[in-house]
Amino acid sequence: MSASTEFVTPTALSEDNNYEGDWVNLEGTVQNLDTSGERTTFAVADGNHSIPVTYEGTLPDTMQEGRIVVAKGRYADGSLTAQQLSVRAHEGEERPDDV
């Protein structure tokens, strides 16, 4: 799997310079969520590091502080410009048997 398709953590981005300029799927917990019009800023954290994220567009209905998110976009200069956001639907609970 290449850097352009793998899921990465904030720690991996912070400690490995090989991601600079790449398209990544950054996964972690939403922190410091701030919306202003259609521009949203927040951090994606994993307990060790956090990466600032900027996103312009409509947020998923379930986007909120503390949720697990995958922010897909270009990583450059220590931050991510996201083009797509996905919020985990069943974090912290067992998946129902009938799904």
Side-chain angles (χ1 to χ4, degrees):
M1 211 179 264
S2 73
S4 64
T5 59
E6 68 184 72
F7 287 82
V8 296
T9 64
T11 296
L13 287 183
S14 296
E15 296 178 354
D16 186 345
N17 293 330
N18 291 329
Y19 293 101
E20 185 67 25
D22 283 346
W23 176 274
V24 298
N25 297 323
L26 175 63
E27 183 175 38
T29 304
V30 175
Q31 295 181 345
N32 304 318
L33 182 62
D34 182 33
T35 57
S36 178
E38 287 203 16
R39 182 183 173 105
T40 302
T41 59
F42 58 96
V44 172
D46 65 3
N48 295 314
H49 292 89
S50 65
I51 301 294
V53 177
T54 303
Y55 175 75
E56 292 189 21
T58 304
L59 289 177
D61 291 338
T62 55
M63 181 77 169
Q64 59 184 309
E65 289 278 333
R67 295 297 302 262
I68 303 297
V69 68
V70 176
K72 301 173 183 182
R74 181 108 20 227
Y75 179 72
D77 299 323
S79 66
L80 184 83
T81 302
Q83 301 297 314
Q84 213 176 357
L85 300 175
S86 300
V87 179
R88 296 286 174 142
H90 296 287
E91 67 192 58
E93 54 186 74
E94 294 287 325
R95 186 175 181 168
D97 290 334
D98 61 345
V99 176

